């Protein structure tokens, strides 16, 4: 009987998959800078890895250009085989870790501060209870920053405001929020539950500086209504906006959830803007090319659930139908978004 023989795999250059992962990321993104953001690494380390690969291969894998890098002839011939090798290795890792049964891994969420403040604490608790092998990384930034992180796949999930009538195919409607005029405790103008947009004419505001989604929408609506919005001070910091409203008797425009605790505690007042209302959509987008898939979907599902629960408390409305063709979710019962009586 012939003795069994082990398969003789000869591995040398192909044995370090981390370096080939760097190779694929740089090839796909065309830039060391973008690849470093995508891989949560730094350019110098990636450059050393590619230099080492090129020495071992005895050929250039990339040509440097004024706009970044592009694959050389040798790199182009290797690219599809390397990507197939990495896909096979990733699938093997999924099987080993048992991710087909239980979500696992780190999920990065990018959000605006006004949204993450009421959301992240509860999200952390629920993920820890339901999926203990999933960890969260939270990045806060402006709309432009979150958009860039999503484009670079630096985040797995992005939560954004949208002001237009439609969403892209990769986005899902979470909620619709009204805008409120925020004033100091005891302020006469914001004492009423609702206020016409025309009443904002000439008030001393603290508002974010352009470019900013809310600021752009406010300025456009003010021009349409023939009123003047003249900020006494511009500040992009949400905590600073709220503190100066309370301390210096300025005004700002925010969604109710951004000042939920301050209104409940009586530090500021909120009056819903009507005639016309200024509404925005809270949208969620999932990056297509990054993150452990089951873990990302698990976190996205909890975000959707938490937003619906907050709608029932009056923070926003979730009784809207998605305007994206890519996602559909059942509309929850109507919620009247009213400010706290305190």
């Amino acid at each position: 009987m012939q003795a069994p023989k082990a398969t003789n795999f000869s591995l040398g250059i192909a044995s370090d998959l981390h370096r080939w992962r760097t190779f694929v990321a740089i090839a796909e993104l065309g830039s060391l800078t973008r690849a470093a953001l995508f891989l949560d690494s730094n350019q110098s380390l990636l450059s050393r890895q590619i230099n080492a690969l090129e020495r071992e291969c005895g050929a250039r894998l990339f040509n440097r250009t004024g706009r970044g890098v592009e694959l050389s002839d040798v790199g182009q011939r290797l690219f599809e085989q390397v990507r197939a090798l990495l896909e096979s290795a990733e699938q093997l890792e999924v099987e080993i870790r048992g991710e087909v049964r239980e979500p696992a891994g780190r999920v990065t969420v990018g959000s605006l501060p006004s949204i993450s403040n009421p959301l992240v604490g509860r999200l952390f608790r629920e993920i820890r209870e339901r999926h203990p092998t999933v960890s969260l990384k939270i990045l806060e930034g402006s709309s432009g920053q979150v958009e860039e992180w999503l484009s670079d796949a630096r985040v797995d999930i992005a939560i954004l405001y949208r002001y237009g009538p439609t969403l892209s195919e990769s986005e899902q409607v979470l909620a619709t929020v009204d805008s409120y005029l925020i004033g100091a405790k005891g302020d006469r103008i914001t004492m009423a539950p609702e206020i016409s947009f025309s009443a904002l004419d000439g008030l001393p505001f603290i508002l974010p500086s352009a470019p900013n989604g809310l600021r752009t929408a406010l300025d456009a609506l003010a021009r349409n209504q023939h009123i003047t919005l003249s900020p006494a001070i511009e500040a992009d910091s949400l905590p600073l906006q709220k503190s100066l409203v309370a301390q210096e008797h300025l005004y700002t425009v925010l969604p109710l959830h951004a000042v939920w605790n301050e209104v409940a505690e009586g530090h500021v007042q909120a009056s819903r803007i009507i005639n016309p209302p200024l509404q925005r959509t809270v949208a969620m987008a999932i990056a297509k090319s990054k993150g452990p898939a089951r873990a990302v979907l698990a976190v996205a599902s909890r975000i959707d659930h938490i937003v619906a629960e907050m709608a029932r408390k009056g923070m926003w409305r979730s009784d809207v139908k998605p305007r994206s063709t890519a996602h559909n979710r059942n509309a929850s019962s109507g919620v009247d978004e009213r400010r706290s009586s305190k």
Side-chain angles (χ1 to χ4, degrees):
M1 184 176 178
Q2 188 175 7
K5 293 183 179 179
T7 304
N8 183 23
F9 293 107
S10 179
L11 297 176
I13 299 174
S15 62
D16 190 341
L17 296 183
H18 288 291
R19 290 192 299 185
W20 288 111
R21 180 70 188 91
T22 298
F23 165 78
V24 169
I26 295 173
E28 290 178 335
L29 297 173
S31 163
L32 279 169
T33 301
R34 288 181 176 271
L37 288 172
F38 175 74
L39 297 170
D40 287 330
S41 184
N42 60 76
Q43 294 183 54
S44 61
L45 175 60
L46 268 54
S47 181
R48 290 196 300 272
Q49 289 177 333
I50 294 302
N51 289 338
L53 277 179
E54 290 179 332
R55 287 195 300 271
E56 293 181 13
C57 293
R60 278 197 174 276
L61 300 176
F62 293 97
N63 295 320
R64 279 65 176 175
T65 69
R67 294 177 297 177
V69 296
E70 59 184 21
L71 287 169
S72 67
D73 291 341
V74 173
Q76 290 177 8
R77 291 197 297 270
L78 293 176
F79 178 76
E80 290 301 332
Q81 295 182 66
V82 171
R83 187 161 67 173
L85 173 65
L86 292 172
E87 288 174 351
S88 296
E90 182 180 50
Q91 184 58 41
L92 173 61
E93 188 161 327
V94 167
E95 296 293 337
I96 292 172
R97 291 186 174 183
E99 190 176 343
V100 292
R101 295 183 299 275
E102 174 63 28
R106 185 176 72 178
V107 177
T108 303
V109 179
S111 177
L112 305 176
S114 63
I115 303 175
S116 60
N117 184 49
L119 177 68
V120 169
R122 180 167 172 184
L123 179 63
F124 167 72
R125 289 193 301 272
E126 294 198 8
I127 291 298
R128 182 173 58 178
E129 292 171 0
R130 293 170 177 267
H131 307 292
T133 54
V134 174
S135 62
L136 294 174
K137 178 178 179 181
I138 308 297
L139 299 180
E140 283 190 345
S142 65
S143 293
Q145 288 175 311
V146 177
E147 292 271 17
E148 183 178 347
W149 295 337
L150 181 65
S151 175
D152 292 338
R154 191 176 175 187
V155 298
D156 303 302
I157 300 171
I159 306 176
L160 297 153
Y161 290 136
R162 294 300 188 208
Y163 293 87
T166 59
L167 304 181
S168 73
E169 291 187 353
S170 63
E171 296 177 351
Q172 171 189 352
V173 171
L174 292 177
T176 294
V177 297
D178 291 310
S179 295
Y180 286 72
L181 179 66
I182 311 301
K185 177 181 178 180
D187 174 65
R188 179 181 56 81
I189 296 177
T190 54
M191 193 169 292
E194 296 178 337
I195 187 171
S196 294
F197 188 85
S198 60
L200 276 59
D201 189 18
L203 293 179
F205 276 103
I206 174 170
L207 292 173
S209 56
N212 172 274
L214 173 63
R215 181 67 184 275
T216 300
L218 273 173
D219 288 345
L221 191 54
R223 287 193 298 271
N224 182 264
Q225 297 294 310
H226 306 293
I227 70 170
T228 300
L229 295 182
S230 300
I233 182 173
E234 294 182 327
D236 296 333
S237 165
L238 177 60
L240 186 59
Q241 291 174 28
K242 293 190 290 188
S243 66
L244 287 186
V245 165
Q247 297 169 13
E248 303 300 328
H249 294 266
L250 298 176
Y251 296 90
T252 194
V253 175
L254 291 170
L256 185 61
H257 62 265
V259 289
W260 186 263
N261 291 332
E262 289 81 2
V263 170
E265 294 167 2
H267 299 312
V268 298
Q269 298 176 170
S271 182
R272 186 163 67 96
I273 297 172
I274 59 172
N275 298 328
L278 177 59
Q279 296 179 325
R280 69 192 91 176
T281 297
V282 181
M284 176 169 62
I286 299 178
K288 297 179 180 179
S289 57
K290 192 183 178 223
R294 287 182 63 84
V296 170
L297 292 176
V299 172
S301 176
R302 295 322 301 167
I303 290 173
D304 198 10
H305 173 78
I306 292 169
V307 167
E309 286 285 318
M310 289 179 170
R312 285 191 280 273
K313 294 181 178 179
M315 279 193 178
W316 39 50
R317 294 198 309 271
S318 61
D319 56 340
V320 292
K321 294 182 179 180
R323 288 168 287 179
S324 162
T325 59
H327 295 278
N328 288 289
R329 55 187 288 261
N330 294 329
S332 64
S333 60
V335 176
D336 179 20
E337 183 177 332
R338 295 184 293 264
R339 69 185 181 98
S340 169
S341 60
K342 293 183 72 175

